[in-house]
Amino acid sequence: MAHAHHHHDDQAAYYLEQLCTIALCGALGGVCVLLWLHTYVWPPPEGQFSMLSLMLDPRFHTAVLFGGLGLLALVAVRAVGVWVESGRAVAHTHDHDHDHAHGHDHGHDHTHCDHDHGAEGHEHTHAHDQVHEGEAHDHGHEHGWNPLRYAVLLLPVALYFLNVPSKGLSFSEIHQTLEAGKSVAVKERDNVLDLDFKELKSAASSSSMREYFEGRTGRLKGQYVPSGQEKVFSLIRLKMRCCGADAVPADVVILAPQPVSGLKSMDWVEVQGVIQFNKRANRNEFVPVLQMDKISPTAPEPELYMQ
Amino acid sequence: MEKYVENFILIFTSIIYEALPFIVLGSVTAGMLEELVPQRFVTRIIPRSRALAIAIGGLLGLVFPMCECGIIPVMRRLLRKGVPLSTCVCYMLAGPIINVIVMMSTWVAFSAPPDFNKDQSLTVPGGQLGSAEMVSLRVGLGYLVAVGTSLIVEWLYKRHGNNLLLPLAQPTAGNESDDNGGPRRRLSNITETALHDFVDITVFLILGAFLAALSRQFLSHSDIVDLSMKNPAVTILLMMGLAILLCLCSEADAFVAASFTGLPAAPKLAFLVLGPMMDFKLYLMYTRIFRPRLIWTIILSVVVQVFVYSLLTHFVLQTWFTPAADGGAG
């Protein structure tokens, strides 16, 4: 019977779509929860960073967890709904095939409604794809099997299981063009300050702070990035406000007395040197600079990004 | 090459996971709106005056705070419930800016640390504003742009009607029934609508994130500052371009704008007002609701207005609010 065949094709597409939606949304929800668990419950070994902390600022971590749990809850309820619907549809299709042996057309697509189809001359006015029990309004859905949508949706799930991203943003080289600074008199060489990027960046924009720091000796820990010049490189910390899309390097320029060798870009190092501030060429901005005395490899900071 | 691929994947996935929880929230809200709010209730509470409806639409974010990703599925369901297109567009554009969460995050982002002794010699003309001024300007410009665009949309709607909308977003012709088969059936319907909307919108979020991550490989944060060359019009345009490129959530974008310490306030405002209204992912999400004619009208209106208002703001700030420089930078 042509009519019944048409019904079964649409029904198959509808259930295929529903099953794919449930599977993909469930997978995405599961990945969100796993991302959180691998950050807070099963954190990575020291010196490594969880995927979630590479991607997002901690303020968003709880939102990812709740987003994932919400998605899983939606999927669970929907799975039960589809299970019940499919059971009804199977029972109904048997009756339906029998009742429609006379060959009249109901003009609707799905067979999982349970109102009476037996009466001859009965007219349906549904303009939608799917009719629920007792309902006469449509939900504004497009049902139909569209594999491309699911292929796109699968992408973040696949990337998670391929364990990417596994590293923070990285840079091959950072070029800085600085104006020549005035010579700096060294102060209190034995008193070595423990510096951080935030403090130095903040000091660079304040004349009194620049005056305080200039000539003092400080120690700074960060990631090594070459500049293309032998005796100049940058020490950076990644700064992220929101997500990886806005992550930028906060950098301090290091002037080395000799070319530095044996380091790869993004290696963690500690540099000790005399602090100065040079004006960035063509910008109304000072850059902190260290005239390097010592450099040594070091362990990564516990947090990849600074706030 | 390997570094580029790694950086690309990091940016791509970070945009997705940042937006995803908000799309889940928006989809659940959309499902509840579809199932629980009767159309006749919606039509009863909308003011008859379209101008008043638009004006109220721009403030709806204060009652229903949503970011720009979550607001898309909600707006589509509101359209189907009979809320006028121009009111929905006003809510869609202003809602991600005029809501308490976003206003608070803007306030926090532009609050300078108490011990931060800013060097006056580094002050940019028309530059650093306090958090109260930034919040007020962001909200004010956002509202102006949203209302202006909605009035244009209303004019367009009078000429083209529902042809501006895709079938899924067109108002249902009052074919609702009060009998929805009990709570179990209602719950099933809510989850079906929510998951349908989630899939529909997330697919376009992923494509938008892909485009944004790709373009970030060619243009960076510091390139924008280098390219601005102190010309306010160019700086504003570049910051608008960056807003489209980065696809940031409106709840966090103020922190990114605040980090551009070398830029005047107006380009930052352009970034903060345009970002929640227009970016790669939003453009692709709009294609699930509007026809191209309406999408391009909205984009053109928003981009032109943001640029003009930001430029005017810059000149006003430069003329009346630039503090006297105290000593040279060198």
Side-chain angles (χ1 to χ4, degrees), chain A residues 139-142, chain B residues 76-77 80 165-170 196 200 288:
Chain A
H139 287 262
H141 302 168
E142 282 173 332
Chain B
R76 182 161 74 179
R77 296 293 155 179
R80 286 173 49 77
L165 300 169
L166 292 183
L168 278 180
Q170 289 179 3
H196 173 272
D200 208 23
R288 298 304 296 151

Side-chain angles (χ1 to χ4, degrees), chain B:
Chain B
M1 185 62 191
E2 193 189 335
K3 276 191 169 60
Y4 283 108
V5 175
E6 283 170 357
N7 289 351
F8 169 82
I9 292 175
L10 179 71
I11 295 169
F12 170 63
T13 49
S14 68
I15 294 174
I16 295 171
Y17 287 108
E18 188 209 359
L20 200 130
F22 301 105
I23 297 184
V24 175
L25 183 65
S27 303
V28 172
T29 312
M32 290 166 74
L33 266 176
E34 176 69 32
E35 190 60 26
L36 304 177
V37 180
Q39 193 174 23
R40 59 177 172 271
F41 171 74
V42 174
T43 41
R44 203 185 305 143
I45 60 166
I46 299 289
R48 289 182 183 216
S49 155
R50 205 42 65 86
L52 184 62
I54 289 172
I56 291 172
L59 301 174
L60 271 182
L62 292 170
V63 187
F64 304 111
M66 282 270 169
C67 70
E68 69 274 23
C69 296
I71 218 163
I72 301 283
V74 173
M75 192 204 54
R76 182 161 74 179
R77 296 293 155 179
L78 286 175
L79 278 169
R80 286 173 49 77
K81 290 286 171 187
V83 177
L85 175 61
S86 50
T87 308
C88 282
V89 167
C90 203
Y91 172 50
M92 178 188 82
L93 296 178
I97 294 175
I98 306 175
N99 74 58
V100 177
I101 300 164
V102 173
M103 289 194 283
M104 275 177 62
S105 76
T106 310
W107 178 284
V108 172
F110 285 93
S111 308
D115 59 344
F116 192 73
N117 176 18
K118 194 80 193 163
D119 184 352
Q120 291 298 305
S121 67
L122 300 178
T123 303
V124 188
Q128 315 305 329
L129 293 179
S131 43
E133 291 94 333
M134 282 305 282
V135 172
S136 313
L137 280 170
R138 187 181 193 188
V139 167
L141 292 194
Y143 191 70
L144 265 183
V145 173
V147 169
T149 305
S150 304
L151 290 172
I152 295 171
V153 168
E154 178 60 28
W155 171 78
L156 204 65
Y157 185 78
K158 281 181 181 152
R159 294 182 63 187
H160 300 282
N162 287 336
N163 290 334
L164 296 169
L165 300 169
L166 292 183
L168 278 180
Q170 289 179 3
T172 49
N175 57 347
E176 287 184 320
S177 163
D178 288 334
D179 179 13
N180 279 283
R184 206 177 292 170
R185 168 57 65 194
R186 277 186 184 272
L187 190 62
S188 180
N189 290 347
I190 289 170
T191 56
E192 184 183 1
T193 304
L195 285 178
H196 173 272
D197 285 9
F198 174 79
V199 169
D200 208 23
I201 299 299
T202 305
V203 167
F204 289 89
L205 163 75
I206 293 171
L207 295 175
F210 188 91
L211 279 180
L214 201 62
S215 36
R216 272 276 276 137
Q217 303 304 306
F218 304 107
L219 198 62
S220 73
H221 188 291
S222 79
D223 291 337
I224 299 280
V225 180
D226 286 339
L227 284 168
S228 63
M229 298 178 297
K230 294 181 185 172
N231 179 332
V234 175
T235 316
I236 288 169
L237 283 175
L238 284 167
M239 286 301 280
M240 288 167 67
L242 192 68
I244 293 171
L245 209 76
L246 288 185
C247 298
L248 296 178
C249 179
S250 64
E251 287 165 15
D253 59 0
F255 294 97
V256 179
S259 70
F260 284 89
T261 48
L263 290 186
K268 292 182 208 171
L269 268 175
F271 177 88
L272 291 175
V273 175
L274 183 69
M277 298 184 180
M278 176 60 215
D279 61 35
F280 277 138
K281 69 175 184 334
L282 286 175
Y283 166 72
L284 288 165
M285 289 178 184
Y286 290 165
T287 62
R288 298 304 296 151
I289 304 174
F290 306 134
R291 300 266 188 211
R293 184 198 298 269
L294 182 55
I295 294 177
W296 288 107
T297 304
I298 292 173
I299 290 175
L300 201 66
S301 163
V302 165
V303 167
V304 170
Q305 285 190 80
V306 170
F307 177 71
V308 172
Y309 298 153
S310 302
L311 203 57
L312 285 175
T313 307
H314 178 79
F315 289 124
V316 169
L317 291 176
Q318 195 177 32
T319 311
W320 284 296
F321 297 98
T322 302
D326 179 21

Side-chain angles (χ1 to χ4, degrees), chain A residues 219-260:
Chain A
R219 253 189 309 259
L220 185 65
K221 185 173 168 179
Q223 290 179 283
Y224 164 85
V225 181
S227 71
Q229 298 173 56
E230 279 188 331
K231 293 184 188 173
V232 181
F233 63 91
S234 285
L235 204 57
I236 69 157
R237 279 299 304 275
L238 292 169
K239 198 167 62 171
M240 182 169 73
R241 295 291 196 167
C242 166
C243 67
D246 71 71
V248 286
D251 60 330
V252 169
V253 175
I254 311 292
L255 306 176
Q258 302 296 329
V260 175

Side-chain angles (χ1 to χ4, degrees), chain A:
Chain A
M1 190 169 64
H3 174 78
H5 183 70
H6 171 72
H7 260 208
H8 287 151
D9 274 356
D10 279 355
Q11 198 177 26
Y14 167 73
Y15 283 113
L16 192 56
E17 188 225 2
Q18 291 299 305
L19 290 177
C20 283
T21 298
I22 288 167
L24 261 301
C25 292
L28 210 47
V31 166
C32 288
V33 175
L34 283 173
L35 281 170
W36 189 88
L37 289 174
H38 281 292
T39 305
Y40 295 101
V41 181
W42 310 304
E46 208 172 311
Q48 291 180 28
F49 304 102
S50 75
M51 209 183 278
L52 190 58
S53 56
L54 289 175
M55 293 188 290
L56 293 179
D57 183 82
R59 283 173 302 149
F60 290 90
H61 291 185
T62 314
V64 171
L65 172 69
F66 282 106
L69 290 175
L71 212 44
L72 288 175
L74 285 176
V75 161
V77 176
R78 185 65 202 137
V80 172
V82 170
W83 180 267
V84 172
E85 266 176 30
S86 64
R88 281 206 195 106
V90 169
H92 175 71
T93 306
H94 292 158
D95 292 346
H96 202 67
D97 287 349
H98 174 75
D99 290 344
H100 287 264
H102 308 294
H104 75 262
D105 186 4
H106 278 277
H108 68 160
D109 295 323
H110 291 287
T111 57
H112 54 278
C113 47
D114 64 0
H115 53 261
D116 182 22
H117 286 260
E120 289 196 8
H122 164 98
E123 266 188 34
H124 290 266
T125 55
H126 311 307
H128 53 93
D129 295 325
Q130 182 202 353
V131 181
H132 295 299
E133 175 188 8
E135 265 184 315
H137 73 280
D138 79 89
H139 287 262
H141 302 168
E142 282 173 332
H143 289 301
W145 171 235
N146 183 354
L148 266 182
R149 279 152 54 107
Y150 299 103
V152 172
L153 214 56
L154 191 62
L155 206 55
V157 178
L159 287 174
Y160 172 80
F161 286 107
L162 290 171
N163 196 30
V164 278
S166 58
K167 289 180 190 164
L169 279 189
S170 56
F171 304 88
S172 307
E173 277 185 3
I174 291 180
H175 304 276
Q176 293 278 16
T177 316
L178 303 180
E179 291 178 4
K182 58 185 184 202
S183 60
V184 170
V186 178
K187 306 176 210 166
E188 302 176 37
R189 185 171 274 283
D190 295 336
N191 180 18
V192 180
L193 305 171
D194 279 315
L195 303 170
D196 71 47
F197 282 82
K198 221 170 173 178
E199 185 181 29
L200 278 178
K201 284 284 178 188
S202 173
S205 61
S206 154
S207 54
S208 56
M209 294 294 277
R210 283 200 302 272
E211 204 172 302
Y212 171 78
F213 276 105
E214 252 172 353
R216 290 178 189 274
T217 303
R219 253 189 309 259
L220 185 65
K221 185 173 168 179
Q223 290 179 283
Y224 164 85
V225 181
S227 71
Q229 298 173 56
E230 279 188 331
K231 293 184 188 173
V232 181
F233 63 91
S234 285
L235 204 57
I236 69 157
R237 279 299 304 275
L238 292 169
K239 198 167 62 171
M240 182 169 73
R241 295 291 196 167
C242 166
C243 67
D246 71 71
V248 286
D251 60 330
V252 169
V253 175
I254 311 292
L255 306 176
Q258 302 296 329
V260 175
S261 58
L263 290 173
K264 293 195 304 292
S265 178
M266 306 310 286
D267 277 355
W268 285 87
V269 291
E270 187 176 78
V271 170
Q272 183 175 312
V274 177
I275 305 161
Q276 66 179 64
F277 296 91
N278 289 33
K279 200 150 178 263
R280 201 189 291 270
N282 304 321
R283 275 209 224 166
N284 203 15
E285 181 178 76
F286 280 97
V287 177
V289 175
L290 283 185
Q291 290 177 347
M292 189 181 90
D293 293 330
K294 285 187 218 164
I295 182 168
S296 51
T298 188
E301 289 281 6
E303 300 294 332
L304 180 61
Y305 299 101
M306 59 176 201
Q307 292 294 306

